[in-house]
């Protein structure tokens, strides 16, 4: 669709009277009762930003303790609560709800549907998540404190958790149910409600990424639920799933957890891939290179993610054949991932590139996620992994793929679609300051952790031998800088919601996709009549 | 607002919910599947490790000597003395041997103990056949009782050539103490 | 709306420089890489690690090179016009699917012989049973009747308490010293049996190149072997979160020539 066609369509829509006749209800009741995908998307996004700041606060506390050797701030038990909660909040409270929020806002708009397939279940999913997190965060204040066994919850250690244990398990069940319902909603919406003429292979890549992600969620979230249920019965009802005394095996939990856990990390990154596939074409002013290959790549990454899980467990004492198999399967996942990176680069090739904030974040993703990919290749290979496992090298790897990976993609998406949501352009200067400070500090924060891991610093410790001081100090400075820079992001969003230069329907110079054919801000109800595809 | 078509959604939602249920069941199925996996790879399932084997009728391999070590631990189970009587034996594959573990209940009350076996290296587990053992059978001990627990075994002649030493280890648990624990 | 593209490297360099100025005077920049270690295995793993690093670096040069070239050459601000028909190139796409597959499989192949060696416990001359506790280790020399606990050294333990006021730099081998180290002979393949008393721990000495989990109720094994010409003290740590003091149960191994070791062991046997 050419840019001028987009603008014409937007005017056409407005002229035909698809704007608001009646606004949504005012006040708190609006947010408690809305079944509108845009409102629910907004709620998920606001929730996720809040959780990002809370999880980020925990990270700042962690880096503050690690700034110098010796224990200055926390006793070790509480420190373990901080690391556990930081991860649980970031994974389940920040990244996943953000991508769900983006899906809620954008999938119906991208496929030309009036709303999600199951709007009331959509609302229920959100509030379930909200309640789950209130429960999880409240564990910090009960006797024994929050869970402190790592977000991976390995028994027998996790069975030493105090009163927080059933609360955490219940919170996980609720949060899992919320995700599963959301995933069902997305699949049904995409499968049943695409506008006529939009075959699957004409669907935007962000929606494609969510179709695959939703199937992954349905396949593995219930396994996680089963695993924590087994923990619960071991804790209270003398089952022995993971207790050697009764014939069980702690390693069984690791298998169950990582069978969920590995697809889980792809659940976090696939929507990010989808976002990048939207943004790079827009700011290169040409369509994505190799659309079908991108679809097959995402689908094969989704499939392969099921057969690599034991690479998180190489040191448990695994048969040789198992170690070799999982090394090989993990290496193979790099192939479709590489294809995507090459296709994004090829999209820029012989394009006409401009560097607005969404593109800045997308390009930073391209570089820095790839670095995370390289460290991932290294940890995939036993026996080298015997030296990397449970060290800061792994911490560096997954933070590179998650922070300048998933989080940057989410920020890029916000910068990309915020004018569509609010109707206002945001302050470009603040946005660019936010970008540069974030991009620099994220590297100061995480790059030295590669060195720390290689030099022998293990994970999940509040204090360390003095030879690790210098890189820890650098990393902590990076952490404080990174954390403070996010305040710019919050401020920018608040200001943009309140006002700013009016945004057009197309917003950017070269928009593509149905979402750019409706006015900005997008009317409360859109595509009540299925749009025609050109 | 136009309501989305209900009828066409129901079928798909139903199928997806079935997938969810199937996934949940799969999580629990992983428990027995774990055993299947251990059996297939030769590490040996709990059942295999505990089952008494029939004595091997064929003659022992006198040309080969394998060292079998015995070790014991009492994980977090209170005041017990539990140790192998003999630390190691040089054995010929195919011949029946007997080893004993001495257990002494120092908990100050009548109680029940239970031993969980473990064989290293993993690959050797399926070649270590116990014809009689006290694995997993609850052992009743009166207060201050001390007695020997017996295990009879044959190292299979098919034990891979690269293994010259294997270790039988028992983790001894006080089941009464465990039952009185959390929850 | 488009911005002038600044050199992406400059702000990054400036940021790194700023971070540098914030550092204390006693900088230890030598801590960049994995140790080569003191065993054949640790050296092989180091070599493997370096090869992988170089391969990744080479791939990075090509990939990032292409990205940077594209970002500079095809800027709208310099008048680039988009070629909206550039959507496919079957040969290129096939190449960048097949070539990485081959490279990756090639990277994995050197693992095989090393893994076989790691899993081969034969030829060991000594067995030590290692038991992880919350939060210390127990070492038992099987068949010799010598067994003892190995705990964080008192000086470190006092200094590491919250608000102790003691500067860790004044404690020798802070958090890397124990009251009674594990003693082993050099030039000998030693089999370690690993288990735990309560929760999962893991035994790791970077200089030996191996790490394995210690799981309660189960026995794991691994072997280590210090080069005959490398007697000395080697320090390691618990490498699996095991509770509050996970960071405070270090491992110290003293490797000495076999004759000295036998003398030491004989002395320990007398004491037990």
């Amino acid at each position: 669709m050419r840019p001028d066609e987009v603008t014409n369509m937007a005017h056409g829509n407005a002229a035909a009277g698809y704007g608001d006749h009646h606004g949504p209800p005012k006040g708190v009741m609006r947010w408690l009762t809305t079944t509108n995908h845009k409102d629910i998307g907004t709620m998920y996004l606001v929730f996720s930003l809040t959780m990002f700041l809370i999880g980020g606060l925990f990270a700042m506390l962690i880096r503050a303790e690690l700034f110098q050797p010796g224990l200055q701030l926390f006793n070790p038990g509480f420190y373990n609560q901080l690391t556990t909660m930081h991860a649980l909040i970031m994974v389940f409270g920040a990244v996943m709800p953000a991508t769900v929020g983006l899906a809620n806002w954008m999938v119906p708009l991208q496929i030309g549907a009036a709303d999600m397939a199951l709007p009331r279940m959509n609302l229920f999913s959100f509030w379930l998540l909200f309640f789950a997190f209130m429960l999880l965060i409240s564990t910090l204040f009960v006797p024994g404190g929050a869970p402190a066994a790592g977000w991976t919850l390995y028994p027998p250690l996790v069975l030493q958790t105090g009163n927080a244990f059933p609360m955490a398990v219940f919170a996980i069940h609720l949060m899992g149910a919320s995700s599963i319902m959301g995933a069902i909603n997305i699949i049904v919406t995409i499968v049943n409600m695409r506008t006529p003429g939009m075959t699957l292979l004409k669907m935007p890549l962000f929606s494609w990424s969510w179709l695959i992600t939703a199937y992954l969620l349905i396949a593995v979230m219930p396994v996680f639920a089963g695993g924590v249920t087994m923990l619960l019965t071991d804790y209270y009802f003398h089952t022995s799933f993971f207790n050697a005394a009764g014939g069980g095996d702690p390693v069984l939990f690791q298998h169950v957890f990582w069978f969920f856990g590995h697809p889980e990390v792809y659940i976090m990154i696939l929507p990010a891939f989808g976002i990048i596939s939207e943004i790079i074409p827009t700011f290169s002013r040409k369509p994505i290179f190799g659309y079908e290959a991108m679809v097959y790549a995402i689908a094969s990454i989704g499939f392969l993610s099921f057969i690599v899980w034991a690479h998180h467990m190489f040191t448990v004492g695994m048969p040789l054949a198992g170690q070799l198999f999982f090394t090989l399967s993990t290496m193979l996942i790099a192939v479709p991932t590489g294809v995507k990176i090459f296709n994004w680069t090829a999209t820029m090739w012989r394009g006409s590139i401009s560097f607005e904030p969404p593109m800045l974040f997308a390009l930073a993703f391209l570089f820095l996620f790839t670095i995370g990919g390289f460290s991932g290749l290294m940890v995939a290979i036993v026996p080298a992994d015997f030296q990397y496992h449970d060290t800061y090298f792994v911490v560096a790897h997954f933070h590179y793929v998650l922070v300048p990976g998933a989080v940057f993609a989410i920020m890029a998406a916000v910068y990309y679609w915020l004018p569509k949501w609010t109707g206002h352009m945001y302050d470009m200067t603040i946005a660019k300051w936010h970008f540069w400070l974030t991009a620099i500090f994220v590297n100061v924060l995480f790059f030295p952790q590669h060195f720390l891991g290689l030099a022998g610093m293990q994970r999940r410790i509040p204090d360390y031998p003095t030879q690790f001081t210098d890189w820890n100090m650098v990393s902590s400075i990076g952490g404080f800088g990174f954390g403070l820079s996010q305040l710019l992001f919050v401020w920018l969003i608040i200001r943009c919601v309140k006002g700013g230069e009016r945004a057009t329907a197309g917003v950017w110079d070269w928009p593509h996709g149905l979402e750019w054919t409706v006015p900005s801000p997008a009317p409360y109800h859109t595509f009540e009549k299925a749009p025609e595809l050109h | 607002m136009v309501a989305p078509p209900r009828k066409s959604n129901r079928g798909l939602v139903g199928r997806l919910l079935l997938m969810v249920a199937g996934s949940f069941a799969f999580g629990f199925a992983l428990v027995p599947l774990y055993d299947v996996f251990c059996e297939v790879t030769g590490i040996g399932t709990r059942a295999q490790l505990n089952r008494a084997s029939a004595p091997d009728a064929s003659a022992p391999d006198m040309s080969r000597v394998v060292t079998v070590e015995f070790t014991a631990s009492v994980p977090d189970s209170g005041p017990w003395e539990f140790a192998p009587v003999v630390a190691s034996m040089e054995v010929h594959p195919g011949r029946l041997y007997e080893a004993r573990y001495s257990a002494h209940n120092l908990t100050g009350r009548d109680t029940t103990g239970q031993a969980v076996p473990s064989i290293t290296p993993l690959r050797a587990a399926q070649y270590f056949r116990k014809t009689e053992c006290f694995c997993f059978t609850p052992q009743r001990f009166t207060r201050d009782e001390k007695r020997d627990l017996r295990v009879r075994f044959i190292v299979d002649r098919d034990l891979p050539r690269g293994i010259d030493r294997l270790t039988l280890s028992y983790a001894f648990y006080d089941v009464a103490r465990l039952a009185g624990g959390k929850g | 709306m488009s911005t002038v593209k600044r050199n992406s490297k400059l702000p990054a360099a400036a940021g790194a420089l700023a971070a540098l100025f914030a550092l204390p005077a006693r900088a230890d920049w030598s801590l960049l890489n994995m140790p080569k270690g003191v065993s054949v295995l640790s050296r092989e793993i180091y070599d493997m690690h370096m090869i992988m690093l170089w391969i990744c670096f080479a791939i990075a040069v090509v990939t990032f090179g292409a990205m940077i070239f594209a970002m500079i050459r095809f800027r709208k601000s310099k008048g680039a016009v988009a070629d909206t028909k550039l959507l496919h190139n079957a040969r290129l796409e096939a190449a960048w699917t097949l070539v990485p597959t081959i490279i990756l499989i090639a990277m994995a192949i050197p693992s095989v012989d090393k893994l076989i060696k790691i899993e081969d416990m034969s030829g060991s001359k000594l067995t030590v049973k290692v038991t992880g506790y919350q939060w210390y280790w127990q070492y038992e020399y099987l068949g010799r009747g010598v067994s003892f606990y190995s705990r964080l050294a008192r000086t470190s333990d006092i200094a590491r308490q919250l608000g102790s006021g003691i500067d860790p730099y004044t404690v020798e081998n802070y958090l890397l010293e124990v009251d009674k180290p594990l003693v082993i002979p050099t030039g000998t393949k030693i089999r370690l049996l690993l288990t735990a008393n309560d929760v999962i721990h893991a035994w790791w000495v970077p200089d030996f190149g191996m790490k394995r989990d210690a799981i309660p109720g189960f026995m794991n094994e691994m072997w280590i072997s210090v080069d005959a010409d490398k007697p000395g003290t080697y320090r390691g740590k618990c490498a699996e979160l095991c509770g509050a003091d996970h960071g405070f149960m270090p491992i110290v191994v003293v490797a000495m020539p076999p004759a000295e070791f036998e003398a030491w062991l004989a002395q320990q046997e007398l004491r037990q």
Side-chain angles (χ1 to χ4, degrees):
Chain A
M1 187 176 293
R2 294 190 325 270
D4 54 307
E5 286 178 325
V6 170
T7 332
N8 288 341
M9 273 199 81
H11 281 146
N13 277 340
Y18 283 110
D20 292 332
H21 295 296
H22 54 87
K26 300 276 183 262
V28 181
M29 284 317 289
R30 169 180 176 178
W31 305 104
L32 288 174
T33 59
T34 179
T35 56
N36 182 294
H37 73 100
K38 302 183 179 75
D39 275 354
I40 294 173
T42 301
M43 288 200 285
Y44 269 108
L45 289 168
V46 171
F47 174 82
S48 127
L49 183 60
T50 312
M51 288 297 135
F52 180 62
L53 294 173
I54 295 177
L57 173 66
F58 291 178
M60 297 299 105
L61 295 176
I62 291 168
R63 288 309 328 167
E65 180 59 75
L66 290 175
F67 186 65
Q68 281 183 307
L71 287 178
Q72 292 85 30
L73 298 171
F74 308 115
N75 65 53
F78 182 69
Y79 179 87
N80 288 346
Q81 294 176 35
L82 283 177
T83 51
T84 304
M85 292 297 278
H86 161 73
L88 286 171
I89 289 174
M90 287 306 204
V91 169
F92 297 112
V95 175
M96 286 174 78
T99 57
V100 171
L102 291 170
N104 258 298
W105 248 108
M106 302 314 302
V107 169
L109 284 175
Q110 286 196 333
I111 64 175
D115 205 304
M116 298 289 286
L118 304 157
R120 278 172 298 190
M121 186 168 85
N122 204 10
L123 176 69
F124 184 54
S125 297
F126 174 76
W127 285 109
L128 206 57
L129 179 69
F130 183 84
F131 181 67
F133 266 84
M134 293 306 105
L135 190 58
L136 183 64
I137 292 179
S138 68
T139 60
L140 282 163
F141 306 106
V142 302
W151 85 284
T152 45
L153 305 171
Y154 284 1
L157 179 64
V158 77
L159 299 173
Q160 294 181 347
T161 310
N163 293 8
F165 185 77
M167 298 164 73
V169 170
F170 192 44
I172 287 170
H173 275 133
L174 293 177
M175 179 270 308
S178 164
S179 293
I180 290 169
M181 287 192 280
I184 291 178
N185 218 339
I186 286 171
I187 293 175
V188 179
T189 307
I190 291 177
V191 170
N192 281 354
M193 293 172 68
R194 276 166 291 124
T195 193
M198 184 179 283
T199 57
L200 277 177
L201 285 177
K202 287 208 181 112
M203 189 168 71
L205 284 171
F206 176 66
S207 295
W208 252 116
S209 71
W210 251 111
L211 182 61
I212 307 286
T213 303
Y215 272 110
L216 287 185
L217 273 166
I218 293 184
V220 299
M221 268 295 177
V223 176
F224 186 34
V228 300
T229 307
M230 292 185 229
L231 282 176
L232 194 72
T233 58
D234 264 21
Y235 190 93
Y236 284 114
F237 304 125
H238 299 298
T239 55
S240 293
F241 288 105
F242 313 121
N243 181 4
D249 189 349
V251 174
L252 172 62
F253 180 83
Q254 296 186 28
H255 283 288
V256 176
F257 179 83
W258 285 115
F259 186 81
F260 147 77
H262 194 84
E264 166 62 27
V265 310
Y266 285 99
I267 286 167
M268 288 194 279
I269 203 68
L270 289 187
F273 289 163
I275 292 164
I276 303 300
S277 292
E278 299 287 338
I279 291 176
I280 291 189
T282 301
F283 298 96
S284 306
R285 292 168 179 72
K286 59 191 269 279
I288 190 84
F289 182 93
Y291 171 89
E292 287 89 356
M294 291 301 246
V295 172
Y296 293 131
I298 273 203
S300 34
I301 292 171
F303 168 72
L304 284 170
S305 73
F306 284 101
I307 58 169
V308 300
W309 79 90
H311 66 225
H312 299 271
M313 298 164 56
F314 278 139
T315 59
V316 293
M318 195 190 296
L320 182 65
Q323 293 181 50
L324 288 172
F325 172 78
F326 285 108
T327 290
L328 212 56
S329 58
T330 309
M331 301 294 272
L332 284 178
I333 269 201
V335 176
T337 315
V339 165
K340 296 189 84 66
I341 293 172
F342 301 142
N343 280 16
W344 287 320
T345 309
T347 304
M348 294 196 291
W349 203 266
R350 296 223 289 266
S352 177
I353 306 173
S354 60
F355 300 92
E356 288 86 332
M359 186 61 162
L360 289 173
F361 274 99
L363 291 174
F365 174 99
L366 211 51
F367 275 92
L368 301 174
F369 173 80
T370 304
I371 292 180
F374 289 135
S375 56
L377 278 183
M378 294 170 73
V379 295
I381 302 184
V382 252
D385 184 56
F386 290 145
Q387 290 282 53
Y388 306 135
H389 176 76
D390 232 274
T391 68
Y392 263 83
F393 193 78
V394 179
V395 176
H397 158 66
F398 66 69
H399 280 102
Y400 259 88
V401 290
L402 281 176
V403 184
V407 172
F408 274 27
I410 292 167
M411 290 181 173
V414 170
Y415 280 117
Y416 189 50
W417 283 313
L418 196 57
K420 176 59 58 186
W421 302 333
T422 60
H424 308 126
M425 290 309 293
Y426 44 80
D427 188 327
M428 283 290 165
T429 311
I430 298 181
K432 281 181 212 147
W433 270 99
H434 173 234
F435 170 72
W436 285 110
L437 287 173
T438 299
I440 292 170
F441 279 119
V442 84
N443 284 293
V444 178
L445 167 53
F446 293 120
F447 204 78
Q449 294 183 357
H450 292 109
F451 305 140
L452 284 170
L454 292 179
M457 182 176 174
Q458 80 269 44
R459 290 174 69 168
R460 295 166 162 171
I461 52 174
D463 189 6
Y464 45 80
T466 52
Q467 76 248 41
F468 298 133
T469 306
D470 299 308
W471 290 123
N472 267 297
M473 228 176 228
V474 173
S475 177
S476 289
I477 291 169
F480 303 143
F482 180 85
L484 287 172
S485 306
Q486 303 324 305
L487 298 178
L488 281 176
F489 187 51
V490 178
W491 188 38
L492 177 146
I493 292 173
I494 294 176
R495 277 186 61 183
C496 178
V497 168
K498 287 201 172 137
E501 182 194 324
R502 285 214 62 189
T504 59
V507 182
W508 310 109
D509 207 20
W510 202 88
H512 58 99
L514 286 172
E515 71 258 38
W516 307 109
T517 65
V518 303
S520 305
Y524 202 58
H525 302 298
T526 42
F527 298 135
E528 287 172 325
K529 185 167 155 242
E532 271 176 45
L533 277 190
H534 293 262
Chain B
M1 209 194 73
V2 175
R6 289 288 162 85
K7 199 159 164 237
S8 58
N9 286 344
R10 210 167 275 161
L12 183 54
V13 173
R15 283 196 295 280
L16 292 172
L17 283 172
L18 251 138
M19 263 186 80
V20 172
S23 215
F24 189 69
F26 178 71
F28 283 93
L30 281 177
V31 180
L33 275 176
Y34 191 60
D35 268 354
V36 170
F37 184 77
C38 290
E39 193 175 322
V40 160
T41 56
I43 301 172
T45 62
R46 280 286 160 207
Q48 281 178 329
L49 289 177
N50 302 334
R51 202 184 307 132
S53 301
D56 192 348
S58 53
D61 179 359
M62 301 305 292
S63 65
R64 186 177 171 191
V65 173
V66 173
T67 308
V68 178
E69 289 171 332
F70 302 96
T71 178
S73 40
V74 183
D76 223 10
S77 282
W80 280 85
E81 264 169 22
F82 179 69
V85 170
V86 167
S88 69
M89 283 180 181
E90 309 284 310
V91 311
H92 297 294
R95 174 181 276 174
L96 182 67
Y97 293 87
E98 178 179 299
R100 278 177 291 136
Y101 280 76
S102 162
H104 190 178
N105 174 8
L106 295 166
T107 61
R109 53 181 165 74
D110 293 352
T111 186
T112 309
Q114 187 159 292
V116 174
S118 196
I119 310 263
T120 44
L122 292 177
R123 296 187 295 141
Q126 61 185 317
Y127 301 100
F128 188 88
R129 302 187 186 292
K130 299 188 224 74
T131 63
E132 184 188 320
C133 96
F134 56 94
C135 323
F136 263 111
T137 328
Q139 304 289 332
R140 191 104 191 102
F141 279 78
T142 57
R143 180 187 153 149
D144 215 35
E145 180 183 350
K146 176 176 176 165
R147 71 171 189 272
D148 281 358
L149 301 167
R150 207 164 55 168
V151 55
R152 285 191 164 164
F153 63 92
I154 300 172
V155 174
D156 201 295
R157 293 171 58 107
D158 295 329
L159 180 74
R161 286 277 142 188
I163 301 177
D164 60 2
R165 180 185 293 263
L166 58 90
T167 310
L168 169 64
S169 158
Y170 280 103
F172 193 80
Y173 292 94
D174 182 331
V175 265
R177 179 187 148 115
L178 280 176
K182 230 182 286 287
Chain C
M1 207 185 302
S2 57
T3 56
V4 174
K5 179 80 177 74
R6 292 191 292 271
N7 183 341
S8 66
K9 298 231 175 63
L10 200 55
L17 221 60
L20 247 137
F21 285 133
L23 286 172
R26 44 178 185 228
D28 187 355
W29 303 113
S30 63
L31 277 191
L32 285 176
N33 205 353
M34 190 187 286
K36 286 202 186 126
V38 298
S39 78
V40 172
L41 188 61
S42 68
R43 274 192 296 282
E44 283 182 359
I45 289 179
Y46 174 85
D47 289 339
M48 198 180 185
H49 156 75
M50 289 310 291
I51 291 173
M52 291 198 301
L53 200 53
W54 282 116
I55 293 177
C56 289
F57 187 71
I59 301 174
V61 166
V62 173
T63 336
F64 292 158
M67 288 175 197
I68 294 173
F69 181 83
M71 291 195 310
I72 296 176
R73 172 76 176 71
F74 303 113
R75 283 172 292 169
K76 176 166 186 290
S77 61
K78 292 299 178 213
V81 174
D83 175 4
T84 55
K85 297 286 177 262
L86 181 57
L87 301 173
H88 288 293
N89 186 325
R91 243 179 292 175
L92 197 56
E93 291 179 72
W96 69 42
T97 311
L98 277 170
V99 173
T101 310
I102 295 171
I103 295 178
L104 293 170
I105 295 180
M107 278 170 82
I109 287 176
S111 325
V112 182
D113 70 298
K114 290 175 192 54
L115 274 178
I116 292 176
K117 198 188 306 192
I118 287 174
E119 299 301 325
D120 176 14
M121 305 288 159
S122 66
S124 66
K125 298 285 184 293
L126 178 68
T127 304
V128 178
K129 182 171 142 195
V130 177
T131 307
Y133 286 74
Q134 285 176 311
W135 290 282
Y136 49 92
W137 297 96
Q138 181 188 31
Y139 300 115
E140 183 186 331
Y141 293 82
L142 280 203
R144 307 299 296 262
V146 176
S147 138
F148 54 86
Y149 295 108
S150 184
R151 293 185 155 89
L152 178 67
R154 192 146 170 69
T155 46
S156 285
D157 202 13
I158 295 173
R160 63 98 167 186
Q161 300 295 333
L162 180 59
S164 71
I166 300 173
D167 181 0
Y169 280 94
T170 62
V171 179
E172 200 179 341
N173 291 315
Y174 178 65
L175 295 189
L176 286 174
E177 193 65 88
V178 298
D179 54 1
K180 214 168 146 59
L182 175 67
V183 180
I184 58 173
T186 56
T188 314
K189 186 170 181 179
I190 297 161
R191 196 160 141 259
L192 295 179
L193 295 177
L194 297 163
T195 187
N197 182 63
D198 33 43
V199 298
I200 301 178
H201 301 263
W203 202 87
W204 180 42
V205 176
D207 278 313
F208 299 164
M210 256 308 282
K211 167 192 293 134
R212 193 138 278 186
D213 288 357
I215 302 169
F218 291 83
M219 201 59 85
N220 252 339
E221 63 177 1
M222 61 182 254
W223 64 264
I224 57 175
S225 176
V226 177
D227 290 341
D229 59 345
K230 300 235 170 61
T233 304
Y234 302 103
R235 304 174 192 276
K237 43 219 73 173
C238 175
E240 182 61 57
L241 178 64
C242 54
D245 281 357
H246 164 59
F248 305 103
M249 46 182 291
I251 294 158
V252 179
V253 183
V254 175
M256 51 178 70
E260 264 182 66
F261 168 75
E262 282 301 328
W264 175 87
L265 195 58
Q267 234 190 9
Q268 302 304 306
E269 280 171 319
L270 288 175
R271 283 203 199 137
Q272 301 267 277

